[in-house]
Amino acid sequence: MKIFKYILSLLVIFAIVSCEKYLDVKPSKSSSLVVSTVDHLESLLNNYSTFSSEQNYNVIFGSDDFGLVPELYDARSSSYNVTQIQYATWDIESLPSEDNAFWTGEWKKIFVANLVLLNVDGVDGDADAKEKLKLEARFIRAYSYFQLVNTFCLPYTDANKSELGLPVKQSTSFEESAERVSLEETWNFMKADLEAALELDVDLEQTNGKNRTWRASKPAVYAFAARFYLALNDYVNAKQYAEMALTEYSYLRNYNTEMHFSSFQDEVTIYPSDGSGPTNVFITYPYTHDLQTDPTDRMEWGENYYYRLLTNGHWWYMPSQELLNLYDQTYDLRYKYHIVQNYSYSRSVVNPAYEYPGYIFFFKDQIFNGPGVSEMILIKAECQVRQGSWQEGLNTANELRVVRMDATAPASVINLSATNQTEALQKVLEERRRELPFTMRWYDIRRYNNNSDSGDDVLMSKTFYAYSGSAILPSSTVTYTLEKNSRLFARPIPNEDIVSSGGVLQQNTY
């Protein structure tokens, strides 16, 4: 594949800078070296910028968390571009020709993992350090395969086992076949890597009291295993590994005492559509908006096991009205801090002014996407409910809510309650959506639609204008629908890699 040809040149890359002391020295992103020692391989994996970003526009725009609002386009046509609409409406005609940074980026991570695995036995260094590098490389490879298979392949079911999976890449050679193996073989390959990585015995918390989130650790692997088995609707294993991760590390940030607004405010002049004249409006952000360039503060957020960030180059996570309606807008502190009112004004929707919020976590473009403590609590809660212990599941979910809801709220508002298992499951799944917007929703819909419970199925429908390959056509609206078992859940692979493989890499069939 083209991506493997391109990154073959990366055999001698990255400076040796110890990320264990990242408060003193920032993680490295540059320089060159010859790979000949364990320290050199350590430097490859210490390079946080290689691994942290996930620019998955299928996930950002493709779920029902992302809002398509014709009125925003009417107020300012540049609020959306054609590429966003293609992702948001599950296009398969034009997207294969688009550059797909996510596809390329995850194969690059797999390449680096394979580079470590192929070189580790031949470099100088301690045997124990080499073994840990092997296990971490297998974790990285499994993690990126998981992200790719849940974007570019159909959901894993008995009916889909023989469908196309991904190419199995275990070397750094571009001569290795780009042929896609079956979905079952792909999942088995990931599972073998995961099972090996579960032997990794590295603490998340380091001797300096900081968390080494940019590298693999025992709780990070446990947390990924919980996510892995949840995707397979294996609630026994998902719950077990979520609990193991939480036993290792369970810190939650209390939004009542550890969250605040930024001192920075945008002042914007708007022109209301009623002609009342120019008005100055201030836009208030959470303090996390300021954590843009230095990774240290983001790594110190404290809730995450593994430092991965969903990255939106368009700088607007536009919440759908359906998502907004899920929040208690009086007491939910996630709504207070992360749903930024008047955000559309900062995106120049000012003349005529049209107010619409944005979801902000880190600056305008990034949300934690790696496994974290809150996700493990919600996985445990969901599994408890699905296994029949629905009251225990609600109690588990309430451990999260007590640090996310305003402490002055009535107990009946802070704590979820239900009268039966079906209602309890709905409450827990809604809480999961509130806590993990954009990042997990696409993956969740895939599994909801392919488990034994039809009550959680999601049929996505969005109404927006028609469009061509190059322009939005605002003359009439169209309702776009993604059916429960649509083949469109396997997003198209970039044509460029299909061509460069000589046709060996197959496109999905629709």
Side-chain angles (χ1 to χ4, degrees):
M1 290 186 294
K2 170 181 170 288
I3 177 57
F4 270 73
K5 293 181 181 180
Y6 169 73
I7 60 183
L8 190 62
S9 63
L10 300 179
L11 282 167
V12 284
I13 52 176
F14 312 131
I16 302 174
V17 174
S18 173
C19 290
E20 294 177 359
K21 300 178 180 178
Y22 68 86
L23 289 179
D24 301 314
V25 182
K26 295 180 184 178
S28 172
K29 295 198 288 186
S30 62
S31 188
S32 299
L33 55 90
V34 176
V35 179
S36 60
T37 70
V38 163
D39 285 343
H40 293 162
L41 294 178
E42 291 281 358
S43 75
L44 287 172
L45 301 191
N46 273 341
N47 193 325
Y48 75 94
S49 64
T50 300
F51 300 103
S52 62
S53 178
E54 295 179 7
Q55 193 167 294
N56 193 342
Y57 287 162
N58 294 288
V59 165
I60 294 169
F61 303 124
S63 84
D64 50 2
D65 279 354
F66 181 75
L68 287 183
V69 185
E71 292 81 4
L72 265 176
Y73 181 86
D74 294 342
R76 184 175 175 83
S77 61
S78 61
S79 297
Y80 298 98
N81 63 35
V82 174
T83 301
Q84 287 173 294
I85 304 305
Q86 290 167 351
Y87 280 108
T89 59
W90 317 292
D91 172 87
I92 58 171
E93 300 299 326
S94 301
L95 281 182
S97 298
E98 297 285 342
D99 175 55
N100 195 309
F102 176 69
W103 169 267
T104 302
E106 294 309 305
W107 283 114
K108 179 179 178 181
K109 296 166 193 176
I110 291 167
F111 177 92
V112 175
N114 285 338
L115 176 63
V116 171
L117 289 168
L118 290 170
N119 285 274
V120 66
D121 286 331
V123 300
D124 296 331
D126 178 74
D128 181 62
K130 289 183 180 183
E131 182 61 23
K132 288 177 179 177
L133 281 168
K134 289 179 184 178
L135 299 180
E136 182 170 5
R138 295 191 72 174
F139 167 73
I140 290 168
R141 189 167 66 183
Y143 194 101
S144 286
Y145 262 96
F146 182 85
Q147 300 298 86
L148 289 167
V149 80
N150 281 292
T151 302
F152 298 100
C153 304
L154 292 172
Y156 185 78
T157 65
D158 285 339
N160 289 343
K161 282 181 179 179
S162 61
E163 293 279 359
L164 288 173
L166 296 168
V168 170
K169 290 287 186 178
Q170 301 184 73
S171 78
T172 57
S173 171
F174 62 81
E175 299 298 335
E176 189 176 17
S177 176
E179 184 176 1
R180 297 172 71 179
V181 302
S182 71
L183 194 57
E184 183 175 27
E185 290 175 272
T186 304
W187 277 89
N188 286 341
F189 179 63
M190 287 188 293
K191 186 177 180 182
D193 273 349
L194 172 59
E195 289 177 344
L198 284 166
E199 299 298 318
L200 182 67
D201 189 14
V202 175
D203 291 336
L204 173 66
E205 296 178 272
Q206 301 300 295
T207 55
N208 61 6
K210 304 301 179 182
N211 291 343
R212 193 167 171 259
T213 57
W214 65 92
R215 295 289 298 272
S217 65
K218 183 162 50 175
V221 181
Y222 290 158
F224 171 60
R227 184 184 285 187
F228 181 93
Y229 284 108
L230 188 69
L232 296 174
N233 301 307
D234 181 345
Y235 307 122
V236 173
N237 277 312
K239 176 175 174 287
Q240 174 189 337
Y241 285 113
E243 290 175 330
M244 291 169 70
L246 291 168
T247 297
E248 291 288 327
Y249 183 80
S250 59
Y251 167 77
L252 281 172
R253 182 172 290 266
N254 190 328
Y255 273 39
N256 286 277
T257 57
E258 299 178 90
M259 193 67 172
H260 57 85
F261 287 111
S262 170
S263 59
F264 167 80
Q265 289 184 322
D266 267 334
E267 182 179 4
V268 182
T269 301
I270 65 170
Y271 298 84
S273 57
D274 62 7
S276 58
T279 303
N280 286 354
V281 174
F282 289 91
I283 305 171
T284 302
Y285 297 91
Y287 87 94
T288 53
H289 168 272
D290 305 344
L291 309 182
Q292 178 183 6
T293 57
D294 186 347
T296 300
D297 291 326
R298 287 173 291 176
M299 290 177 183
E300 287 182 14
W301 177 253
E303 290 192 0
N304 277 59
Y305 299 108
Y306 191 52
Y307 186 66
R308 289 287 187 107
L309 297 161
L310 187 65
T311 303
N312 181 3
H314 296 275
W315 284 19
W316 195 348
Y317 290 96
M318 192 180 294
S320 65
Q321 192 60 54
E322 180 183 347
L323 174 61
L324 292 170
N325 291 343
L326 284 177
Y327 291 95
D328 183 316
Q329 299 183 13
T330 302
Y331 292 114
D332 196 323
L333 299 180
R334 291 166 296 194
Y335 185 88
K336 175 180 179 179
Y337 289 112
H338 293 306
I339 303 297
V340 174
Q341 306 302 323
N342 301 322
Y343 184 74
S344 55
Y345 300 153
S346 77
R347 309 309 300 156
S348 300
V349 190
V350 295
N351 191 10
Y354 188 88
E355 193 283 325
Y356 204 84
Y359 184 88
I360 296 291
F361 206 100
F362 288 131
F363 190 55
K364 297 175 174 67
D365 59 339
Q366 295 187 319
I367 308 174
F368 266 136
N369 200 33
V373 174
S374 66
E375 182 189 356
M376 293 306 106
I377 289 173
L378 292 168
I379 288 177
K380 178 182 176 181
E382 179 181 341
C383 292
Q384 287 174 314
V385 174
R386 290 190 187 275
Q387 291 176 301
S389 301
W390 56 270
Q391 187 58 61
E392 288 86 344
L394 291 173
N395 292 341
T396 299
N398 288 336
E399 295 173 15
L400 172 65
R401 285 180 65 83
V402 76
V403 298
R404 295 295 196 255
M405 303 296 288
D406 194 314
T408 66
S412 60
V413 171
I414 294 174
N415 295 312
L416 298 177
S417 62
T419 58
N420 55 58
Q421 181 177 359
T422 299
E423 186 183 1
L425 180 61
Q426 178 186 351
K427 294 289 184 67
V428 169
L429 297 187
E430 288 176 349
E431 185 65 17
R432 179 177 171 87
R433 191 173 176 188
R434 284 187 287 265
E435 178 68 17
L436 306 168
F438 297 100
T439 58
M440 289 291 108
R441 183 61 176 170
W442 174 261
Y443 305 117
D444 285 344
I445 292 172
R446 286 168 58 95
R447 65 184 179 87
Y448 295 160
N449 289 349
N450 289 281
N451 61 21
S452 59
D453 184 356
S454 61
D456 60 7
D457 291 353
V458 177
L459 185 150
M460 287 193 285
S461 183
K462 302 178 182 182
T463 299
F464 196 70
Y465 294 123
Y467 63 92
S468 67
S470 58
I472 296 171
L473 309 172
S475 57
S476 61
T477 59
V478 177
T479 298
Y480 303 90
T481 302
L482 188 60
E483 301 289 345
K484 171 184 173 180
N485 291 316
S486 173
R487 296 189 68 85
L488 297 179
F489 274 104
R491 305 307 301 139
I493 290 170
N495 281 336
E496 190 174 7
D497 269 12
I498 292 173
V499 172
S500 67
S501 75
V504 173
L505 179 68
Q506 292 178 254
Q507 183 59 274
N508 293 316
T509 56
Y510 298 103

